[in-house]
């Protein structure tokens, strides 16, 4: 399980931007930090589900990107395996 980002101020931010924003050096220093909205900063790990799973969305966007809300760099990428609808076959 690897730390990939943080969530605060209603968005996801990369580790580098979070370290600058809260003037921290180590990832464990973040757990008492509060954002501008009064909420605790949360860590996002590579095992956390951040992507959209709605069928209609996945069909149009099979590759999804998690971008930093500060620097807009790509933090993580997820590619869905598209499941094609089964075709109905008549008995001949
Ligand atoms: Zn960033």
């Amino acid at each position: 399980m690897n730390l990939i980002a943080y969530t605060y101020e209603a968005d996801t931010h990369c580790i580098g931007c979070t370290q600058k924003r809260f003037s921290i050096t180590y990832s464990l220093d973040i757990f008492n930090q509060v954002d501008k909205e009064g909420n605790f900063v949360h860590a996002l790990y590579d095992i956390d589900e951040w992507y959209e799973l709605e069928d209609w969305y996945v069909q149009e966007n099979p590759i999804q990107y998690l971008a930093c809300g500060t620097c807009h760099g790509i933090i993580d990428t997820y590619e869905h395996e598209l499941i094609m609808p089964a075709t109905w076959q008549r008995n001949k």
Side-chain angles (χ1 to χ4, degrees), residues 14 17 68 71:
C14 73
C17 288
C68 174
C71 71

Side-chain angles (χ1 to χ4, degrees), residues 11-26:
D11 210 345
T12 303
H13 305 269
C14 73
I15 294 169
C17 288
T18 304
Q19 288 175 330
K20 288 180 198 165
R21 162 73 173 74
F22 291 97
S23 301
I24 60 165
T25 304
Y26 301 103

Side-chain angles (χ1 to χ4, degrees), residues 9-80:
E9 289 153 9
D11 210 345
T12 303
H13 305 269
C14 73
I15 294 169
C17 288
T18 304
Q19 288 175 330
K20 288 180 198 165
R21 162 73 173 74
F22 291 97
S23 301
I24 60 165
T25 304
Y26 301 103
S27 61
L28 290 177
D29 293 340
I30 201 71
F31 291 107
N32 290 323
Q33 299 290 333
V34 177
D35 68 10
K36 286 190 286 192
E37 299 166 348
N39 300 312
F40 282 111
V41 176
H42 292 279
L44 186 68
Y45 295 92
D46 56 355
I47 61 167
D48 293 326
E49 293 181 2
W50 54 263
Y51 39 83
E52 179 64 58
L53 290 174
E54 292 291 329
D55 283 346
W56 66 269
Y57 188 88
V58 170
Q59 290 294 327
E60 295 177 7
N61 305 284
I63 301 175
Q64 295 179 36
Y65 301 95
L66 178 66
C68 174
T70 304
C71 71
H72 307 293
I74 294 174
I75 297 168
D76 199 8
T77 303
Y78 185 82
E79 183 170 1
H80 291 271

